[in-house]
Amino acid sequence: MGKTLFEKVWDNHIVDSVEGGQEILYIDRHFIHEVTSPQAFDGIRNRGIGLFRKDRIVATADHNVPTKNQHLPIKDILSKFQVDTLIKNCNEFDIELYGLGHPYQGIVHVIGPELGITKPGMTIVCGDSHTSTHGAFGAIAFGIGTSQVEQVMATQCLLLQKPKTMRITIDGELDDGVFSKDIILYIISKLSTAGGTGYFVEYAGSAIRSLSMEARMTICNMSIEMGARGGMIAPDDITINYIKGREFAPKGKEFDRAVKYWKTLYSDEDATFDKEYSFKAEDIKPMITYGTNPGMGIGITSTIPSGSEVENNVSFQKSLDYMGLKAGESLIGKSIDHVFIGSCTNSRIEDLRIVAGFVSGKKKAPHVTVMIVPGSKQVEAQAREEGIHRILEDAGFELREPGCSACLGMNDDKIPEGEYCVSTSNRNFEGRQGPGARTMLVSPLTAAVIAIEGKIVDTREYVNQQVPA
Amino acid sequence: MEKFNELKSSVVPLPNQDIDTDQIIPARFLKSTSREGFGKNLFRDWRFDSEGNQKKDFVLNDPLYSGSILVAGKNFGCGSSREHAAWALYDYGFRAIVSSYFADIFTGNALNNGLLPVQVSDDFLKEIFNKIEKDSNAEIYIDLKEQLISVVSTDLKEEFEINAYKKTCLLNGYDDIDYLISKKKAIEQFEQKHQEF
Ligand code: SF4
């Protein structure tokens, strides 16, 4: 019987099987950052052991860094201590660190792909749930807890129970104004935040194949928001062309050999999945979330669900109360206070191009604050080279320095209590962007349109105003 | 890691569904570089207002309920991979979480810290909530060896699933690292033939 893409990569990394159904999985790349690594380093020190394969670890500072004046010392004492601890640990254990001030610094899931570290067929882990992003290359990539960070540091392996497999197929053509972010928000709204629990997902179908690498990353990034351990897309020419020539990509003959192998990474025709879903691209509209988990999403012109089934659900009601919204209500026309464009979901150069392409020559609505946080130093540099920074600044958008920023509100970039933030990030949990902050997840184009209009509108009515940046 | 054999305790009910890790421990409290001390910020924004005063209506502030077992609504622990969520629950004093569904990463993190996630059926969960509503002192008994959870002095009981390897780890207080380190030879052999492109 044929194998799925997931099974091919998984089987290629099994060191041994253990009683009780666990397997020892070898990990090719381990990304670490300042928040979930210090306790793991302590563990390694306490055990008196060293790192098993330090060359397989790459570090960056992203979660907790300021996005203004990164050349100055960090003001927040605790944040500074955490970032300094990462530097100290990387020095002590001789780990490659792309810290503040380094031209490669950025959000871990942005820099891995852009540096050519992320490649098809790999196993990749990081102490961050959105590690699933790297699955866009046909890698098995998933988030781990700090105890597991320590395990990988100590042995380059993890003990895992093999997840079940799911395939989600999207065929057809996307409407104008509908992006990969809308696809994934649509899928999560159909499957709910627990619909993927226990599964590793493969995204397939003509609508997925037509997407750029960056757009594919957006989809795989949010796999975790339906509970899945990760998401993958089989590598193809788009993948190969993206990797070619990048800093750490294989070169010359080695590249050709790699390509030959990468081309074997797809689900065989007779492979079976534990679960399959399929959707039509034409059914997907620009999406927005109205509640406090990413499964609570609707087409932007639709109304919030109503009826006794949802309205009798305490969690649903609590969520709407938190958001200051009502069942059955339309969001169109609702005034917005903040727009955040950033996070490992949507902070890459294509995202910034889409935003700049729309806002060029326009001005943001006076009452809205707009923060744009590029995913990496390289994205930031590219935006400057293309003149995108000027377009954004002319529109009244603030272009910051790279980091996770208001995606999780660990640094100063927080949304004030009770205010509405339309955000290109991945989580709209209560308090995610600051205590009491009300988050609505959207695509970069929808965010840009709302920033200009100051209220929620139908993105599709504005698509013709987009000019190439 | 502490051993886990059996546990009998009164419980804290939190029927909300989809309790995510940002509720369990908000990101702004993740700046510590040690594993300890997260309990004081457990459910921070549900427990305290912005001035740091206790919110009377939140269950952890309700003197009626206490104990080392948290009973929570479906899909507990969704969201981020932060192990700080498991540390915070443990640090606060919880030793077991009962729900009808757990997010994957949370389950792994909890098990790696001696915190037992007990997955029960939706019906059984409902029965527990009903019972606690009538009697806030109701106790739950969890027997890991037998994989059995019951409501004390009632005939309510249910078996629960747990990975056999993880069960042995908990019963003996072992963690995965010890085991993996013992497999170093096999790992090195694997590396010899493993090619990464
Ligand atoms: S941008 Fe947000 S989701 Fe992505 S790694 Fe940073 S905190 Fe996590």
Side-chain angles (χ1 to χ4, degrees):
Chain A
M1 200 180 69
K3 280 186 180 183
T4 65
L5 165 64
F6 172 80
E7 286 161 344
K8 285 180 182 175
V9 181
W10 179 273
D11 292 352
N12 201 24
H13 290 84
I14 297 175
V15 174
D16 204 355
S17 299
V18 182
E19 260 177 83
Q22 304 273 111
E23 280 166 317
I24 302 177
L25 194 78
Y26 192 79
I27 303 302
D28 292 320
R29 263 319 159 275
H30 186 192
F31 292 105
I32 61 170
H33 61 84
E34 73 277 22
V35 178
T36 57
S37 69
Q39 297 87 352
F41 279 112
D42 282 347
I44 294 289
R45 262 189 294 264
N46 291 341
R47 286 170 200 268
I49 54 176
L51 301 180
F52 188 63
R53 297 288 177 252
K54 67 179 169 62
D55 297 343
R56 292 186 179 270
I57 308 178
V58 178
T60 190
D62 55 2
H63 280 63
N64 204 353
V65 299
T67 54
K68 263 182 174 169
N69 296 320
Q70 287 185 344
H71 59 289
L72 298 178
I74 301 175
K75 281 203 207 108
D76 181 299
I77 304 167
L78 291 174
S79 300
K80 181 171 178 351
F81 185 71
Q82 207 168 42
V83 173
D84 287 348
T85 302
L86 179 71
I87 298 171
K88 195 179 102 277
N89 284 328
C90 288
N91 285 337
E92 181 183 334
F93 290 96
D94 192 21
I95 294 171
E96 187 77 43
L97 169 66
Y98 303 137
L100 284 185
H102 195 287
Y104 293 166
Q105 181 266 338
I107 303 173
V108 55
H109 312 311
V110 175
I111 68 169
E114 83 183 358
L115 290 170
I117 298 172
T118 302
K119 290 181 291 261
M122 275 186 160
T123 48
I124 299 172
V125 296
C126 173
D128 183 283
S129 57
H130 294 96
T131 309
S132 56
T133 314
H134 307 260
F137 291 80
I140 290 184
F142 54 92
I144 56 176
T146 298
S147 294
Q148 292 173 306
V149 170
E150 191 180 332
Q151 288 167 30
V152 180
M153 285 178 172
T155 66
Q156 207 54 41
C157 286
L158 285 171
L159 259 179
L160 297 166
Q161 175 116 30
K162 188 176 176 174
K164 290 178 280 186
T165 55
M166 179 189 288
R167 178 162 59 188
I168 300 176
T169 306
I170 320 259
D171 279 318
E173 237 176 277
L174 291 173
D175 264 355
D176 285 346
V178 178
F179 294 84
S180 64
K181 179 64 162 288
D182 301 305
I183 300 181
I184 190 65
L185 284 173
Y186 178 83
I187 294 173
I188 303 166
S189 77
K190 295 287 174 200
L191 268 64
S192 91
T193 51
T197 305
Y199 292 90
F200 223 94
V201 178
E202 178 178 344
Y203 301 97
S206 57
I208 301 288
R209 295 254 72 87
S210 70
L211 298 173
S212 71
M213 274 325 291
E214 297 195 357
R216 293 179 189 186
M217 285 186 239
T218 302
I219 297 207
C220 289
N221 173 278
M222 289 190 71
S223 304
I224 181 72
E225 307 312 337
M226 53 181 156
R229 279 316 296 269
M232 312 173 82
I233 295 172
D236 57 13
D237 288 341
I238 293 176
T239 321
I240 292 163
N241 290 333
Y242 177 94
I243 298 173
K244 194 169 185 170
R246 290 191 183 261
E247 182 73 26
F248 297 105
K251 308 271 150 55
K253 281 217 169 61
E254 223 187 298
F255 185 76
D256 299 338
R257 257 207 315 270
V259 168
K260 222 168 132 197
Y261 171 61
W262 295 344
K263 290 202 160 160
T264 66
L265 298 174
Y266 53 85
S267 289
D268 296 328
E269 239 161 68
D270 54 345
T272 54
F273 291 80
D274 296 306
K275 209 168 211 166
E276 295 232 34
Y277 290 98
S278 54
F279 300 104
K280 282 208 273 297
E282 290 77 9
D283 289 344
I284 305 174
K285 314 252 159 21
M287 296 286 294
I288 188 164
T289 62
Y290 60 87
T292 55
N293 72 54
M296 302 174 85
I298 47 174
I300 201 156
T301 52
S302 304
T303 53
I304 297 173
S306 58
S308 57
E309 197 187 319
V310 285
E311 287 173 55
N312 289 337
N313 183 317
V314 186
S315 301
F316 180 84
Q317 269 313 336
K318 189 171 177 286
S319 181
L320 287 194
D321 289 348
Y322 179 87
M323 291 298 292
L325 298 170
K326 287 192 180 60
E329 189 177 21
S330 162
L331 294 172
I332 295 291
K334 183 154 191 67
S335 178
I336 293 300
D337 310 296
H338 305 269
V339 172
F340 171 66
I341 296 171
S343 89
C344 56
T345 314
N346 284 120
S347 64
R348 297 180 178 82
I349 192 67
E350 286 178 9
D351 300 317
L352 301 197
R353 284 184 193 137
I354 289 169
V355 172
F358 176 74
V359 305
S360 180
K362 302 188 180 72
K363 285 251 177 290
K364 73 168 182 70
H367 69 280
V368 178
T369 62
V370 188
M371 187 165 38
I372 303 210
V373 183
S376 70
K377 274 288 171 205
Q378 295 209 75
V379 172
E380 187 190 344
Q382 180 74 26
R384 287 186 191 280
E385 203 183 302
E386 295 179 20
I388 288 175
H389 67 299
R390 224 166 297 122
I391 296 174
L392 299 177
E393 276 154 20
D394 288 349
F397 291 19
E398 192 184 359
L399 185 64
R400 297 283 190 101
E401 290 170 283
C404 294
S405 178
C407 171
L408 87 169
M410 230 182 135
N411 67 359
D412 288 341
D413 308 343
K414 293 186 181 66
I415 306 304
E417 186 169 349
E419 298 187 10
Y420 289 96
C421 178
V422 158
S423 175
T424 67
S425 55
N426 43 55
R427 285 190 177 138
N428 50 348
F429 295 153
E430 273 186 39
R432 172 82 178 179
Q433 298 195 294
R438 291 163 162 170
T439 303
M440 295 170 153
L441 304 175
V442 295
S443 77
L445 179 61
T446 299
V449 172
I450 291 174
I452 300 297
E453 293 299 320
K455 56 180 195 242
I456 299 175
V457 290
D458 184 359
T459 318
R460 285 165 298 185
E461 288 172 14
Y462 295 79
V463 281
N464 296 334
Q465 299 178 22
Q466 231 191 331
V467 292
Chain B
M1 194 170 80
E2 295 263 325
K3 289 182 187 178
F4 190 112
N5 272 300
E6 51 175 9
L7 178 65
K8 190 169 122 179
S9 169
S10 55
V11 306
V12 176
L14 192 54
N16 307 42
Q17 293 171 9
D18 301 314
I19 295 177
D20 60 75
T21 50
D22 278 84
Q23 304 324 311
I24 300 172
I25 180 93
R28 61 188 194 281
F29 300 110
L30 304 185
K31 295 182 184 180
S32 165
T33 54
S34 81
R35 283 175 189 248
E36 283 81 40
F38 289 103
K40 62 176 186 291
N41 292 314
L42 175 69
F43 295 118
R44 173 74 199 207
D45 295 332
W46 286 352
R47 220 164 121 200
F48 303 102
D49 65 19
S50 49
E51 264 93 60
N53 304 311
Q54 286 195 355
K55 290 185 181 173
K56 287 277 169 294
D57 57 351
F58 186 60
V59 68
L60 290 191
N61 299 326
D62 187 338
L64 270 181
Y65 302 100
S66 64
S68 55
I69 300 176
L70 178 70
V71 184
K74 193 173 174 168
N75 197 24
F76 185 83
C78 59
S80 104
S81 63
R82 61 185 72 156
E83 197 160 314
H84 311 66
W87 298 336
L89 289 158
Y90 194 92
D91 191 50
Y92 183 86
F94 290 116
R95 293 294 175 268
I97 317 287
V98 179
S99 176
S100 57
Y101 213 78
F102 289 94
D104 279 338
I105 308 184
F106 177 81
T107 303
N109 287 341
L111 289 168
N112 282 335
N113 287 279
L115 177 69
L116 181 69
V118 181
Q119 186 166 327
V120 297
S121 66
D122 281 321
D123 289 344
F124 191 74
L125 188 69
K126 216 180 275 162
E127 301 232 41
I128 301 178
F129 282 130
N130 286 342
K131 183 77 195 158
I132 307 168
E133 204 180 302
K134 283 189 214 115
D135 174 12
S136 62
N137 293 318
E139 284 189 311
I140 280 185
Y141 175 66
I142 298 167
D143 184 340
L144 177 57
K145 209 175 222 149
E146 298 300 323
Q147 298 182 214
L148 213 61
I149 174 170
S150 55
V151 182
V152 175
S153 47
T154 69
D155 47 14
L156 287 174
K157 63 170 179 249
E158 194 171 89
E159 279 180 25
F160 63 89
E161 295 285 322
I162 181 169
N163 176 281
Y165 164 81
K166 281 291 173 193
K167 178 176 166 182
T168 318
C169 285
L170 278 175
L171 288 171
N172 297 296
Y174 296 156
D175 61 24
D176 290 353
I177 295 200
D178 298 325
Y179 180 78
L180 284 171
I181 289 174
S182 76
K183 288 283 184 180
K184 239 177 189 159
K185 271 256 137 54
I187 298 169
E188 279 164 359
Q189 272 164 12
F190 172 86
E191 282 181 324
Q192 297 292 320
K193 60 173 176 53
H194 177 61
Q195 196 172 6
E196 172 207 311
F197 290 98

